[in-house]
Amino acid sequence: MFVSDERAALFFFSSSLSYSMNTDNSSAREGAMYLKRLLRNIPEDYSYWNTVWFGRMTNEYEHYHYTILMYSFALGASFPLIFLVSDLMVSKYDLLLNYTVPLVVMSVMMLYLHLRGNISLMSSISLLAAVVGFFCAVFLPGSRGAYIFIVMGFVPLAYELKGIRTGRVYSIIFLCLAVLSAGLMYVGLLPRQHPMVPWEHVAMGAAGFILLMLLVESGERQHEKQVSRVIRRLIFDSATGLPNKEALMNSMSDDESYLFGIISIDNFKELSTLFGFPFSESIITFAAGKVRAFEKKYGYRTYKLMYHEFGILMKTTESGFDEKRVEGVLASLWESIQGEPLLHEGMEIHLNYRIGGIVIRPGETAASLSRADMALISGRRSHRPVTVLFDPEFERNTVISAAQRFHILSRNREEGTFRTYLQPVHDISSGDVRFYECLLRIKNLDGSYGSIHPYLSLAESIGCYDALTRSVLRGAEEALMALPADVSINISHADIARPGFLDEIVGVCRRTRGRPGRLVLEVIEKDELVEVDNIVLFFEMARAEGCLIAVDDFGSGFSNYANLLALPIDIIKIDGGLVKNMPHDENALVMVESIAGLCRRMNKLTVAEFVENGHILDHIRNMGVDMAQGYHLGHPEPLETFLGEFPD
């Protein structure tokens, strides 16, 4: 997966290209571009220097090399300092200059490194100083064998500061110069200040130096191998080998225009459930291969996003990609990847792909993923395989609206400002209130209260739907304590399945026992009817505590009538969409009539929702519907509004 000498290049990134403590973007960019050459198929224009991992790794190596240099300079200064002090103690002054100069040089280098932090420059200077120091120790008197220390320390210092490739070059040059100087001294071309070292000692020293090089290089290669693996995991998805989402976001420039799309496998969850988790990996790998196969044809780059989604990015000009062309390109791509099935144990399995696309204009890269995801969701709702959003103002407003809803919902949850309103449900024959539906309202930024419905899906996605249910349950309990009438709340199948929810219902029933009203639980019929046995058990236990059971929005879903009506249900609330469409929709009229007749024969009470005028009221009265609810009969109001109707 890597080019030749990958480890050397990688460590060169981590060492010799370590930047100063106050490095600027240009030096970081230079190091990043060198690292970019490490990997094949690296995302084009990937801005490594903008990533968190690159910054952290650079800072860690800067600190590491800073410490190495400081220790080296301090140790290098300690020898002439010790020699200088020892000579002064015996009143020996002839070699003071030989010790003072290296002491001052080491001290100045240490001070400069501390003040300026220019690690790259000081790495080179330190190695040059080691070479100069070696020859000074060899050819000047009073070195007391300091050259041995330099020989032993040069190799690890060169490899640590300059990496394998450059460190090897420095070490070989140093070895050649040392051996050459020894040879010149033997033939008398260079002066000798110390006893001549035997040739066999020189040979053994050179062999030891080479062995040290091999050992250090082997260790550094192993280290670089591990670093390269970590970097690949940071950039590429392990299963598909595709660059990941972070690589995508750091491959887009704010100065460029792009066509960006998200490709989703819509039936991934169903197939994974049917064939098991190991097969899901096969799905992802197969789909990645399909999408990558058309990179050259369409000129895009493929990225792996979350779970079963892929991203495609194509650089373009804003004027060169009009609406028709963008839709044409993505539609053609969809047809290309949709055709070939996945073969599994002799079966042909067809993956259902969906594409959501956008055109990213300069300066719009930050919101690209959310905008493309919006296009994907829009296509899923409208059952279109390819959807492209072109109206940046609409997209921007949608994002702002979603962010605002999140802010309002979070603030209401934190401050506890949810409020319950009551809407009366009237008996059609007598006109009396039979019960009140408890509706949750949310406090807006201007202090007014609005419907909770626009926030329900958001509440589910961020995990605070349970808080809404508890709020409306508290409101229902308050209403039951204050009013001589039944009070209903809406619950979902998720509420029924939530551990502890039945205990909350039982608690409300027992605390309000002795009051005239009962708690009515309205189950939303739009929810998929699953785990019927558990639902029946819940209903029976709730009814045992005095609750009534109602089905809300009946007729809006596709549940089996016989199965649904066989449940222990007391009240059927007919879907308001059918009720309000009766005056101008013959099918809706027939549907309401059939529901009312069926419930009457099964001794179920019926409620018509969305009764907005007298004409609709007359219709449902003639059909024999028992109760009515809607703006024609009463708007949702706070509890205080109804207290005056029931004086103590």
Side-chain angles (χ1 to χ4, degrees), residues 7 33 65 75 93 141 157 173 178 202 236 271 276 293 309 349 360 367 380 455 492-493 501 534 536 565 573 631 643:
R7 302 169 192 162
M33 294 306 292
H65 290 140
L75 197 57
Y93 305 106
L157 185 66
I173 292 175
V202 174
F236 294 95
L271 292 174
E309 293 183 348
I349 299 174
I360 303 174
R380 191 171 288 122
Y455 299 85
S492 65
H493 291 177
F501 180 65
N534 291 336
V536 170
L565 294 176
K573 298 187 74 174
Y631 287 169
L643 292 178

Side-chain angles (χ1 to χ4, degrees), residues 6 11 15 29 99 136 200 222 224-225 232 253 281 306 346 352 383 398 413 466 491 512 546 613 634:
E6 62 175 278
F11 197 77
S15 56
R29 182 182 297 268
Y99 301 141
C136 288
E200 55 270 21
Q222 185 63 28
E224 292 168 15
K225 183 179 179 180
R232 281 201 61 82
S253 169
E281 292 290 317
M306 297 291 286
N352 296 331
H383 305 288
T398 302
R413 184 185 183 185
D466 294 350
I491 65 173
T512 58
N613 53 60

Side-chain angles (χ1 to χ4, degrees), residues 14 21 82 114 222 242 246 287 330 344 400 476 533 549 572 597 619:
S14 62
M21 292 299 193
I82 293 172
H114 176 71
Q222 185 63 28
L242 292 171
E246 185 180 17
L330 294 182
H344 177 68
I400 292 174
D533 292 342
I549 306 298
I572 300 294
H619 266 297

Side-chain angles (χ1 to χ4, degrees), residues 15 259 326 352 415 491 580 605:
S15 56
L259 167 60
V326 168
N352 296 331
E415 299 177 0
I491 65 173
K580 71 178 181 179
L605 294 174

Side-chain angles (χ1 to χ4, degrees), residues 490-493 496 521-530 535 539 550-565 567 569 571-576 578 591 595 609:
N490 285 296
I491 65 173
S492 65
H493 291 177
I496 294 175
L521 304 178
E522 299 186 16
V523 184
I524 304 172
E525 198 267 338
K526 288 180 181 177
D527 286 349
E528 182 184 0
L529 191 61
V530 294
I535 294 175
F539 286 170
V551 173
D552 194 20
D553 294 331
F554 189 81
S556 61
F558 299 95
S559 297
N560 181 279
Y561 274 33
N563 191 27
L564 191 61
L565 294 176
L567 296 173
I569 294 169
I571 303 169
I572 300 294
K573 298 187 74 174
I574 304 172
D575 178 49
L578 294 173
M591 190 73 172
I595 294 174
E609 300 181 288

Side-chain angles (χ1 to χ4, degrees), residues 23-138:
T23 184
D24 57 16
N25 285 338
S26 61
S27 61
R29 182 182 297 268
E30 177 186 353
M33 294 306 292
Y34 189 87
L35 177 62
K36 177 179 176 180
R37 295 195 294 270
L38 262 176
L39 307 172
R40 294 175 182 173
N41 303 318
I42 202 71
E44 186 179 357
D45 299 327
Y46 181 23
S47 303
Y48 291 92
W49 51 91
N50 291 330
T51 61
V52 174
W53 66 264
F54 180 83
R56 288 178 178 174
M57 186 173 288
T58 302
N59 290 336
E60 289 174 2
Y61 274 113
E62 284 174 353
H63 179 73
Y64 172 62
H65 290 140
Y66 174 84
T67 303
I68 288 177
L69 286 170
M70 276 297 190
Y71 285 160
S72 301
F73 293 152
L75 197 57
S78 65
F79 288 104
L81 177 61
I82 293 172
F83 297 160
L84 178 63
V85 171
S86 63
D87 279 9
L88 290 176
M89 291 179 65
V90 297
S91 301
K92 184 179 180 180
Y93 305 106
D94 57 326
L95 298 176
L96 293 184
L97 184 63
N98 289 17
Y99 301 141
T100 303
V101 171
L103 176 61
V104 171
V105 170
M106 290 292 106
S107 300
V108 170
M109 291 170 67
M110 191 184 313
L111 181 64
Y112 179 83
L113 177 64
H114 176 71
L115 295 177
R116 299 299 299 274
N118 197 328
I119 297 173
S120 181
L121 174 64
M122 297 310 296
S123 296
S124 300
I125 291 178
S126 65
L127 294 176
L128 179 61
V131 174
V132 173
F134 171 79
F135 286 101
C136 288
V138 170

